[in-house]
Amino acid sequence: MAPILARLWRSWPARIAAVSVLVLGAGAVTLTTRGGTAPAPMGEVLPVPVSVRPAADISYTLAPDAAVHTEAGSAEAAQVGAYLAGLLRPSTGYALPVVQDGQESGVSLLLTGADPVVGSEGYQLDVTEEAVVIRARTGTGLFNGVQTLRQLLPPRIESATAVPGPWTVRGGRIVDYPRFPYRGAMLDVARHFHPVETVRRYIDRIVLYKINHLHLHLSDDQGWRIAVDSRPRLTEYGGRTQVGGGPGGHYTKAQYREIVEYAAQRHVTVVPEIDLPGHTNAVLASYAELNCDGKARKPYTGTDVGFSTLCTTKEESYAFVKDVLGEIAALTPGPYLHIGGDEATATPPERYAAFMNRVQPMVAATGKTVMGWHQIGEPEVRHQEGRVLQYWGRTGADPLVAGAVAKGARVVMSPANRAYLDMKYDEETVPGQKWAGYVEVRDAYDWDPGSHLEDVPASAVLGVEAPLWTEAISTEKEIEYMAFPRLPAIAELGWSPRATHDWTAFARRLGAQGPRWAAMDLGFHHSPQVTWDGQAG
Ligand code: TNX
């Protein structure tokens, strides 16, 4: 390759453009595969289901006059039905009315008759010649079944405009439920602010892989992103910066409620994070009295960490934390309030423990459960009933975490060298960082959250989360590129039984997502570790 071409090739948007041109140029055959008309083999979905029983020679084809039938008298089921119809209408062009009559025809979403093993989040999906019937015990279970159905339909079902069918699903039965209850994605809206629409689209994408928690990193040195009525300068002053000096921004309470509501309709719980006592330069710039010397800090737009701290010996700091946590808790229907606690290197260790020992009970007083980065597991920080540590280390043994677990803490696993979506894939990746090493999709997949940490039994693991820090990520396209295909890998670790773990099978199912992502207009990393359907050879 000529040097100029090689350089262009290294820039990922150019790579995507070039690949698209190649694919389009390849003509009709490639287009059919890429256009995604073929239904997936039964069970070839991601995360891989617990049990799949294909019925050979049977299939169901959605008829133009089909309806979505939901459990009679259930608003919950009707809501999932409306969501499903909303997904299928644009590409099929069918009317797909939603009727609450509990009939087994077309696509049925029923709250009766599911195998009890499905529990509160699982579902049973039956495809016969006459109907697709999804049964669950809850609306969440139906919603998860709908995500499976989406993937059993041809990839073109994701098209935003009407395209030709047929809309066929292969026959059989799936019975499915998650390994872990917490399957999360984190978005750092503090380093670079990301508007409501970006967050909404991110939610739409993560639910396809049965992710059920969205953790929002709402404050950091570079900006404060959520309106707090009792401290208006946090957003009026502290929200107007971001990495690199852009305009920043923040969510009003109404906008934040809109995100929470949008997530709830998609069975996603929002976990808000206010990072304390470090990562607080935006606070210290907004309110002088929260500094030990009483002097306001200058706004910060760089990418260093570990230089800021609330003054942990001043009562003003605790009044501040109490007010802020109270307002955030009031905006939060979910159980968790994340208080950060990471990289507090500017806070003297004994003051860190004293601070956390006052702040954790404040969280409890709001009725919420404490969540924090694993540093809150310091032995001097007391156990708080139900608390959850988020592990982001790079080793397979961490005595601090094991000690906290021995006292009753639970853990969400986000090892940086496996689950961090801001790490570059390889030396050619343009966005992101590499302090935890390059993380290709196989690195993201090949580990076990249940046995990753010595002396942390699987029973103490609440689940997994893939964090996307945004120091070096500023656009939605970059978010997509960094999250896909690694986020589905983490999602599968959170959902599928350990016994299904198999790189070859996973890579095949992942490759089949390529045409689907193309139909969704989702720009992803064409990892060389995977054969992407429609682009083989
Ligand atoms: C470490 S992970 C951090 C963040 C950075 C991230 C960048 C953690 C709890 N702290 O402040 O954004 O690395 O990868």
Side-chain angles (χ1 to χ4, degrees), residues 62-92:
L62 193 68
D65 62 350
V68 175
H69 299 269
T70 64
E71 184 73 40
S74 166
E76 232 191 338
Q79 204 247 325
V80 180
Y83 168 87
L84 173 63
L87 278 178
L88 303 183
R89 280 177 194 135
S91 52
T92 60

Side-chain angles (χ1 to χ4, degrees), residues 188 191 217 220 273 275 279 305 342-343 373 375 392 416 420 422-423 433 435 469-471:
D188 170 8
R191 269 53 176 273
H217 185 73
D220 214 301
E273 179 188 354
D275 204 343
H279 291 278
V305 294
D342 58 314
E343 299 173 325
W373 298 106
Q375 279 76 14
W392 62 282
Y420 267 30
D422 64 319
M423 290 302 122
Q433 312 204 58
W435 65 262
W469 300 100
T470 60
E471 286 100 323

